[in-house]
Amino acid sequence: MVRMRYLIEKLNLIYEEDISLVRKKASIICESIGISIIQKSRFITAISEILRTLFNLFGSVEISFEYVDDRAKGILGSALKANNIKNKNQIIEIDKLIKNEVKKLVEIININMNDPNSITIFLGTYLPSGNTQTLRKVLNIREELHRRGPSSSYEMIREHNEELLQLLEELRKKDELLAKKIEDCLLYTSPSPRDLSTSRMPSSA
């Protein structure tokens, strides 16, 4: 039976800050696709464990989220790919992590090393019975992702900087307005030279 696969999102992990971005995206996907809080927590934890290990070993990671329809049960999956494998010890460390930690968190784990210089790890969790996703629903999830957040840590920083610049501009305008009001107030309340001369007390002889 042919499985239908729908890509939901694809990201490149370049900086350590990207891990938080991936967790945020994964959380939105889990909420949109409709899985329990416990299942969501286990799935995101598994992704985070693999992601951090691959990043520490190889420096960058490609990660994608997808919905797999096998006609029996829907699967929410994530494929994590790293390149530039240097030695066997790196693979041993990944295998140890999967056996000791990740295996307890998700139902599906596939490791692909067809390319000797790269490794791809697929993590999957079964959706509740009756929870089927169509292409239209997947497209809606994509739109939700783009609406609710940036696609890279660089973009996240850029958006944050733009917000700060807008805030500084608003503060500058408020300062200018306040300075103008103070100036007008001083001009209105300051006595004129004529007032000062007429208000002097006569000196005593």
Side-chain angles (χ1 to χ4, degrees):
M1 185 179 292
V2 178
R3 290 182 171 184
M4 298 296 294
R5 309 178 80 96
Y6 302 111
L7 177 66
I8 298 173
E9 181 73 313
K10 191 172 184 179
L11 301 163
N12 290 320
L13 179 72
I14 302 174
Y15 306 105
E16 190 171 0
E17 292 82 2
D18 288 332
I19 296 176
S20 297
L21 177 66
V22 171
R23 289 182 61 91
K24 178 182 176 182
K25 295 277 188 180
S27 179
I28 295 172
I29 291 169
C30 289
E31 291 170 7
S32 300
I33 215 163
I35 62 176
S36 69
I37 295 176
I38 295 176
Q39 192 176 12
K40 166 187 167 183
S41 176
R42 289 162 64 92
F43 183 62
I44 294 177
T45 300
I47 291 172
S48 299
E49 293 288 341
I50 294 293
L51 196 57
R52 195 174 297 277
T53 300
L54 292 179
F55 178 77
N56 290 336
L57 289 173
F58 306 108
S60 64
V61 185
E62 297 173 15
I63 178 169
S64 62
F65 293 93
E66 60 185 56
Y67 169 71
V68 183
D69 183 2
D70 66 357
R71 303 300 178 187
K73 269 192 174 182
I75 299 168
L76 175 60
S78 177
L80 303 96
K81 181 181 179 181
N83 299 310
N84 302 319
I85 296 175
K86 302 294 184 186
N87 55 66
K88 190 182 295 184
N89 290 333
Q90 294 173 319
I91 304 304
I92 292 173
E93 185 173 343
I94 295 168
D95 186 62
K96 183 179 178 182
L97 172 67
I98 290 173
K99 287 180 178 177
N100 293 340
E101 302 294 338
V102 179
K103 195 175 180 180
K104 306 171 187 176
L105 299 171
V106 292
E107 302 95 312
I108 304 168
I109 303 174
N110 293 325
I111 301 175
N112 186 324
M113 290 189 65
N114 292 336
D115 180 352
N117 295 317
S118 69
I119 181 170
T120 301
I121 302 171
F122 179 85
L123 306 175
T125 183
Y126 288 112
L127 300 184
S129 180
N131 187 334
T132 57
Q133 306 293 315
T134 63
L135 178 57
R136 169 48 53 191
K137 289 182 180 178
V138 171
L139 290 175
N140 289 340
I141 295 172
R142 288 183 196 170
E143 291 174 4
E144 182 72 5
L145 283 170
H146 295 157
R147 185 183 67 82
R148 290 177 60 178
S151 59
S152 70
S153 60
Y154 171 78
E155 186 180 345
M156 188 162 51
I157 293 170
R158 181 184 60 78
E159 289 183 1
H160 180 63
N161 288 341
E162 287 180 354
E163 290 174 0
L164 288 176
L165 288 173
Q166 290 174 1
L167 178 61
L168 288 172
E169 180 63 18
E170 289 178 9
L171 289 174
R172 185 187 65 79
K173 290 179 179 178
K174 287 182 179 179
D175 285 344
E176 288 181 352
L177 182 61
L178 179 60
K180 183 69 169 58
K181 287 182 177 179
I182 292 173
E183 183 181 354
D184 292 343
C185 184
L186 289 174
L187 288 173
Y188 180 77
T189 58
S190 296
S192 66
R194 184 168 176 272
D195 292 335
L196 288 173
S197 62
T198 57
S199 64
R200 287 178 184 163
M201 297 292 292
S203 59
S204 58

